């Protein structure tokens, strides 16, 4: 019997995976709670691995895989998997880029609206015993504000679609989508530098690649409009945390909404945890009960395709 090993995860159960794979004769083995050596022993003999960040399938682990034919990433991102090492061993990597598009777009807009309406500071003021509408500082009408979208792919495009209902002027930067994609979303194309300079809110929707790692650094923050807002529901390492904190302290940006961090969970004394200018959510933008089931089912279905010798629906590496 083939085996699919799920490396340590935070899900309640693996029922969707089992419902897809076990009728096909593929046993689903949960490595959660096992020690490192026991997990490694299970992985070494597996036909498939399923990996949820922050657990990593690095080159050292991949070198130990004797039978593995496919590694599945729970989610859109796959930077926690050494794709090159997998490809060198003839192992297909698959991911699920479309399971939570609506959720991430809606979470992003919820953060954008909360920042622009000063909700964290207003709520903190009430909790502290005040009743003052000026606790948020000067607020401005949302309609007509400029929203800059960095990455106009599946999620960024849906953010644009939903943001139009609030009357935002839309700018977008994405060198990898055709010109007609901007027009379809009602967004004006800009270079990154121009987008940062013109936007009242900048929202990030890029994958984590060598090109985007540290994209929002000190130079990028210096280009942003004073008093603007940064939202990141993409990958944590796209933003330089030290540069973000400096931009907040200097008043370059007024607030930030952050759903992802380079290291998760952050330390209890992490400065973003207690900053009233920051909305910090626990990598939750993807989540709804519906998206969680879809994520698990879609990934299991692609694992089954590869193990059956069929083309993957969402491959990261070329099928061999």
């Amino acid at each position: 019997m083939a085996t699919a090993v799920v490396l340590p995860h935070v899900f309640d159960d693996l029922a969707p995976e089992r419902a897809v794979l076990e009728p096909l004769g593929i046993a689903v083995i949960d490595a959660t709670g096992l020690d490192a050596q026991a997990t490694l022993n299970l992985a070494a003999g597996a036909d498939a691995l399923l990996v949820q960040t922050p657990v990593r399938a690095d080159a050292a682990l991949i070198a130990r895989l004797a039978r593995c034919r496919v590694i599945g990433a729970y989610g859109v991102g796959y930077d926690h998997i050494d794709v090159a090492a997998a490809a060198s061993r003839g192992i297909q990597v698959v991911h699920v880029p479309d399971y939570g598009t609506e959720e991430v777009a809606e979470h992003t807009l919820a953060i954008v609206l909360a920042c622009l309406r000063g909700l964290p500071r207003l709520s903190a003021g009430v909790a502290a015993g005040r009743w003052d509408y000026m606790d948020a500082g000067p607020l401005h009408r949302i309609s007509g504000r400029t929203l800059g979208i960095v990455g106009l792919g599946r999620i960024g495009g849906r953010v644009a679609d939903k943001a139009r209902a609030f009357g935002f002027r839309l700018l977008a930067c994405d060198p990898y989508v055709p010109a007609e994609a901007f027009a379809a979303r009602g967004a004006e194309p800009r270079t990154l530098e121009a987008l940062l300079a013109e936007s009242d809110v900048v929202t990030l929707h890029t994958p984590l690649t060598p090109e985007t790692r540290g994209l929002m650094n000190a130079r990028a923050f210096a280009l942003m409009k004073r008093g603007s807002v940064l939202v990141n529901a993409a990958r944590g390492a796209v933003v330089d945390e030290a540069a973000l904190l400096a931009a907040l302290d200097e008043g370059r940006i007024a607030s930030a909404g952050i759903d992802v961090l380079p290291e998760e969970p952050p330390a209890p004394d992490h400065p973003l945890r207690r900053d009233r200018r920051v909305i910090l959510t626990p990598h939750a933008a993807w989540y709804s009960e519906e998206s969680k089931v879809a994520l698990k089912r879609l990934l299991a279905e692609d694992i089954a395709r590869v193990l059956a010798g069929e083309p993957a629906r969402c491959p990261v590496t070329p099928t061999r």
Side-chain angles (χ1 to χ4, degrees):
M1 175 179 280
T3 59
V5 172
V6 183
L7 296 185
H9 60 87
V10 299
F11 297 125
D12 298 333
D13 60 54
L14 299 177
E17 293 90 335
R18 290 193 165 103
V20 171
L21 295 171
E22 291 186 347
L24 302 175
I26 303 167
V28 176
I29 302 174
D30 190 349
T32 302
L34 301 180
D35 63 35
Q37 188 58 53
T39 299
L40 182 59
N41 291 343
L42 277 176
D47 298 279
L49 290 185
L50 287 77
V51 190
Q52 182 186 44
T53 182
V55 173
R56 300 189 64 81
D58 58 17
L61 173 63
I62 290 169
R64 300 287 298 274
L65 303 180
R67 298 170 47 187
C68 187
R69 295 164 56 195
V70 58
I71 300 174
Y74 280 109
V76 180
Y78 46 84
D79 47 282
H80 56 303
I81 298 171
D82 191 325
V83 176
S88 73
R89 299 288 306 278
I91 300 171
Q92 175 80 66
V93 177
V94 298
H95 67 143
V96 193
D98 52 355
Y99 73 99
T101 301
E102 296 301 305
E103 286 80 359
V104 178
E106 289 160 3
H107 194 95
T108 295
L109 279 172
I111 291 176
V112 168
L113 296 174
C115 287
L116 289 179
R117 291 300 305 161
L119 299 191
R121 286 182 245 192
L122 290 171
S123 181
V126 172
R130 295 190 299 278
W131 193 258
D132 186 351
Y133 69 86
M134 286 302 295
D135 272 341
L139 300 178
H140 299 279
R141 185 170 293 166
I142 289 173
S143 180
R145 306 295 292 278
T146 299
L147 176 66
I149 302 170
V150 181
L152 198 63
R154 186 178 283 105
I155 293 171
R158 288 301 286 148
V159 170
D161 294 341
K162 295 173 186 291
R164 287 201 304 271
F166 292 94
F168 282 103
R169 173 193 177 216
L170 300 177
L171 307 180
C173 169
D174 194 326
Y176 300 105
V177 301
E180 53 267 25
F182 293 88
R185 302 298 191 182
E188 303 171 37
R190 291 290 189 275
T191 63
L192 177 61
E193 292 77 9
L195 181 147
L196 295 174
E198 292 184 50
S199 298
D200 298 300
V201 182
V202 173
T203 180
L204 307 176
H205 300 286
T206 68
L208 180 61
T209 66
E211 181 183 12
T212 63
R213 183 177 293 273
L215 181 73
M216 291 303 301
N217 53 24
R219 177 181 176 276
F221 281 111
L223 293 171
M224 290 182 69
K225 183 186 292 188
R226 182 163 292 277
S228 56
V229 175
L230 177 76
V231 176
N232 184 18
R235 300 301 263 183
V238 173
V239 175
D240 180 322
E241 285 187 357
L244 168 62
L245 289 165
L248 286 163
D249 290 341
E250 294 163 6
R252 168 58 59 184
I253 64 172
S255 59
I258 304 296
D259 184 60
V260 286
L261 293 170
E263 298 294 332
E264 297 176 356
D269 61 348
H270 193 291
L272 291 177
R273 278 186 180 267
R274 58 180 184 272
D275 196 317
R276 290 178 57 199
R277 301 163 298 186
V278 176
I279 296 174
L280 182 62
T281 56
H283 204 141
W286 67 274
Y287 168 71
S288 71
E289 285 299 301
E290 294 80 6
S291 67
K292 181 168 67 172
V293 172
L295 168 64
K296 293 152 71 66
R297 176 180 56 79
L298 290 169
L299 185 59
E301 288 174 353
D302 234 7
I303 295 291
R305 286 187 188 93
V306 176
L307 292 182
E310 300 170 4
R313 184 181 77 94
C314 296
V316 174
T317 55
T319 302
R320 297 191 176 198

